[in-house]
Amino acid sequence: MSQQTTPLPLQGIRVLDVSQVMAGPFACMLLADLGADVIKVEPPTGDQTRGAMGFKMKGPDSMGFLNMNRNKRSLTLDLKSDEGREFFYKLAETADVIVENYRPGAVQRMKIDYETIRKINPKIVYVSISGFGQSGPWATRPGFDLMAQAMSGVMSVTGYKGEKPVKAGVPVADIGCALFATYGLLSAYIGAQKTGKGQHIDASLFDSAMAFSIWDMSDYWGTGVAPSPLGTSNKMSAPYQAVKARDGYFVMGATNQKLWAKLCALLERPDLVEHADYATVALRLKNREALIEEIEKSFAERDSQDWVDTMLEAGIPAGPLLTYPEAFEGEHGTHRKMCMEIDHPIEGKVKNIGFPVKMLGTPQQVRRHPPLLGEHNEEIMAEIYALSA
C-alpha cells in the first residue's frame, strides 16, 4: 500500500468501530483514511454487509463492504459472552473513540454502553448511531435510510408533484449521519484533550436527513406553505433545472437578472427579457412551468452538448446529465481520482471510491486493504495482552 512520510492528522488515535452496514462503517473509514487506527469489532458472523448485494465476488465479502472498510483491522468478538465483553473492556481502555450502531437499549443489555465504558476510560468519546436517536417516542424503532427519508420529510419534496413517492437516489440519511457523526466525534475528541473528559454523542439518521431541509423549512417558516416536490427545479430561482434539448436533457441555471439577460440574448429571444411574466426572479418562479415550456422551444433547435458548450462560453452555468460510470470514468472524475484500485489478498485489484476531500498537506493514504473477517485477531490480542502484562 501507499507509503506516507508526513504523519497523517489522526495518527495515534484509536477508534473502535462496533458498527455495521453503512453510517458507522463509513464514518470510521473516513477516520481511518486520515490515519486513525480503526479496529473493526465484529460479531463472529461478521458485519452483515460482507454478504450483502446481489452478486458474488471471488471471496465472501461484497463490493459494498470493500468500499466502506479500507484502512481498518478486523477483530471478531462475541460481545454477548463474558469472555468477549472482558476483552472489549481491555480494548476500550486503549481507545479514544467508540462508534456503535445497535438499536437503543442493546448496548446496555450487553454492558458495553457509555456509562459502563466511561468508568473504564473517562476520556472516551462514545458515538451512538441509530435510526431515530437515543430518546424520543420513535427511539426503539428499527431505522434504515428509507425510513429516515420518508419520516424526516425528505421524500415529501423528492420527485414530481402528484406522482408516486420517490426517495433520493443515494442514501442521504446514512451518508449524512456518517458526516455529522464524524463532525461531532472529532469536536468531542478535541474537547477531551483539554478537559480530560469524553462524552456521549447521539447521532441519528432521522435528525441528519432533516438537517438537509434548510431551504424547504425556511420557505415553510416564512410562508406557512408546506414544501412539495419540484423535480429538478429550485424554489429560489428560475430557470434553474434540467431542460430538454433536441437530443435529450441537460442542466442550466440563469439565477439572477444578469444571467437571465445573457440567456435571452443567447436564445435570440429579446422578447423574454422584459416580458410581463418573466421580468423578475419572483415572476419567473411564479410562472416557471410556462417559462420552461417557452425556452425549451429554442433549446429544441440544437443538441444538449452544443448548448452546454455555448452557455459555458457565455458564462451561464450548465452541464450534461451523466450516469455514474460516465462521471467516474470521464476526464474530470479521472483527474480527481474518484476511482482508485487497491490491492486485496483475495480479490486482487479492487476498485474503491476515491477520497472525497483532498488533504493537500497530508494526503490520505490506503494503508490497509478492507480486512478479512477476524484477520487481525492474533495481532490485536497480542497488543492488548502485552499492555496488561
Side-chain angles (χ1 to χ4, degrees):
M1 298 298 175
S2 300
Q3 298 299 312
Q4 175 73 12
T5 54
T6 305
L8 290 168
L10 301 186
Q11 186 172 318
I13 296 176
R14 173 166 286 178
V15 178
L16 305 186
D17 177 6
V18 196
S19 66
Q20 298 190 47
V21 189
M22 191 165 207
F26 187 77
C28 291
M29 185 179 73
L30 295 179
L31 302 173
D33 287 346
L34 290 169
D37 174 23
V38 177
I39 298 175
K40 187 171 181 65
V41 180
E42 302 186 68
T45 53
D47 181 334
Q48 59 188 280
T49 309
R50 286 184 181 272
M53 308 187 76
F55 61 91
K56 297 292 290 181
M57 303 287 286
K58 294 177 184 176
D61 298 333
S62 73
M63 183 61 92
F65 177 87
L66 298 178
N67 265 275
M68 289 186 286
N69 291 284
R70 63 178 174 246
N71 284 330
K72 301 179 184 181
R73 298 192 285 171
S74 173
L75 170 70
T76 53
L77 282 182
D78 180 2
L79 294 174
K80 296 179 181 179
S81 71
D82 291 339
E83 184 181 12
R85 189 181 305 114
E86 287 302 319
F87 187 80
F88 184 76
Y89 292 159
K90 293 180 183 295
L91 195 59
E93 287 184 56
T94 73
D96 300 285
V97 177
I98 293 175
V99 179
E100 62 88 9
N101 69 344
Y102 286 94
R103 198 184 305 185
V107 290
Q108 285 81 4
R109 291 190 294 273
M110 290 189 288
K111 299 179 183 178
I112 59 166
D113 56 294
Y114 172 66
E115 293 301 326
T116 299
I117 300 301
R118 75 168 181 165
K119 294 174 184 176
I120 299 168
N121 182 351
K123 290 183 69 174
I124 198 73
V125 174
Y126 190 106
V127 184
S128 293
I129 292 176
S130 63
F132 299 98
Q134 299 300 300
S135 63
W138 295 347
T140 58
R141 291 190 181 193
F144 296 107
D145 182 85
L146 177 63
M147 289 76 210
Q149 287 198 35
M151 298 166 74
S152 66
V154 169
M155 284 177 64
S156 75
V157 297
T158 306
Y160 288 88
K161 195 170 184 177
E163 297 189 4
K164 291 181 179 181
V166 177
K167 71 176 181 67
V170 293
V172 292
D174 270 325
I175 296 298
C177 189
L179 299 178
F180 290 133
T182 302
Y183 141 80
L185 73 85
L186 288 176
S187 299
Y189 173 78
I190 293 169
Q193 305 316 297
K194 299 175 182 178
T195 66
K197 295 181 180 179
Q199 60 177 293
H200 191 190
I201 296 172
D202 177 1
S204 81
L205 275 63
F206 178 74
D207 295 1
S208 300
M210 292 182 78
F212 289 112
S213 69
I214 294 170
W215 289 124
D216 295 288
M217 289 309 295
S218 294
D219 188 57
Y220 171 66
W221 287 326
T223 67
V225 179
S228 59
L230 293 173
T232 64
S233 62
N234 179 271
K235 61 176 72 269
M236 303 297 295
S237 146
Y240 181 82
Q241 64 183 81
V243 291
K244 191 174 184 179
R246 182 168 58 193
D247 64 337
Y249 287 89
F250 68 100
V251 294
M252 53 78 61
T255 54
N256 56 43
Q257 290 301 110
K258 182 179 178 180
L259 290 174
W260 171 241
K262 280 188 175 185
L263 177 63
C264 293
L266 202 65
L267 298 177
E268 298 180 351
R269 294 293 303 274
D271 58 302
L272 295 178
V273 179
E274 299 298 333
H275 192 289
D277 290 339
Y278 314 132
T280 66
V281 171
L283 286 169
R284 292 194 289 278
L285 282 168
K286 181 181 178 181
N287 300 294
R288 179 193 290 114
E289 291 185 13
L291 168 65
I292 299 304
E293 185 177 339
E294 192 63 43
I295 63 176
E296 282 187 338
K297 293 175 183 176
S298 298
F299 287 138
E301 296 173 1
R302 292 156 61 181
D303 289 347
S304 57
Q305 189 59 52
D306 190 7
W307 279 116
V308 169
D309 293 341
T310 302
M311 294 178 78
L312 290 176
E313 188 175 352
I316 301 171
L321 269 69
L322 301 179
T323 64
Y324 273 133
E326 289 170 338
F328 275 86
E329 296 165 12
E331 60 179 1
H332 196 71
T334 299
H335 176 81
R336 299 295 295 173
K337 298 180 180 178
M338 286 310 297
C339 176
M340 59 185 181
E341 287 192 332
I342 63 177
D343 295 318
H344 189 273
I346 296 177
E347 304 298 336
K349 294 288 185 182
V350 64
K351 292 185 183 297
N352 259 213
I353 292 176
F355 305 118
V357 173
K358 277 57 176 177
M359 304 287 286
L360 302 183
T362 54
Q364 298 98 317
Q365 299 289 318
V366 177
R367 309 182 317 282
R368 295 178 179 273
H369 60 260
L372 305 177
L373 180 61
E375 180 177 353
H376 303 95
N377 281 9
E378 292 184 9
E379 175 182 306
I380 295 167
M381 288 180 178
E383 289 178 12
I384 299 305
Y385 286 129
L387 287 172
S388 59

